[in-house]
Amino acid sequence: MTSDLLLALAIPVLMGASGLFALADAWWRRRHPALKPVPYLPGRGPVEGHDLVAEAESVVADAYARYGALYDTPALAAEDDRLAGHGGGPGRAAG
């Protein structure tokens, strides 16, 4: 009988204890806010990842310098053909 009573009272006691803990935790966090990290330094931009961003920009700039003509020329040639009325596009009959 006592084991049934302890089992029946365990759930309300645990719920009450967790509620009290949540209230105390919320009160403590309101009274002692954490310091927020400063994401920027004056004149430097983001602190974390600044070197990675600079390296990525140099990789993209180098790739565009090497292979930019491959992407620019076909698009311009295809648009020139389309504007001139030449065939060659999908859905158009050749000749």
Side-chain angles (χ1 to χ4, degrees):
M1 171 138 163
T2 57
S3 63
D4 292 337
L5 182 62
L6 290 176
L7 184 62
L9 292 177
I11 293 174
V13 168
L14 287 174
M15 294 297 292
S18 65
L20 288 175
F21 179 79
L23 286 174
D25 187 48
W27 175 84
W28 180 262
R29 289 181 189 271
R30 277 196 310 264
R31 299 295 188 268
H32 304 90
L35 295 176
K36 294 181 179 160
V38 178
Y40 296 98
L41 289 177
R44 276 208 53 213
V47 175
E48 294 182 14
H50 181 68
D51 298 333
L52 292 174
V53 170
E55 185 179 345
E57 286 176 350
S58 68
V59 167
V60 169
D62 184 41
Y64 185 75
R66 287 185 184 180
Y67 305 113
L70 294 174
Y71 294 106
D72 293 339
T73 305
L76 294 176
E79 187 164 335
D80 289 343
D81 287 344
R82 187 183 58 82
L83 292 176
H86 298 279
R92 291 190 177 191

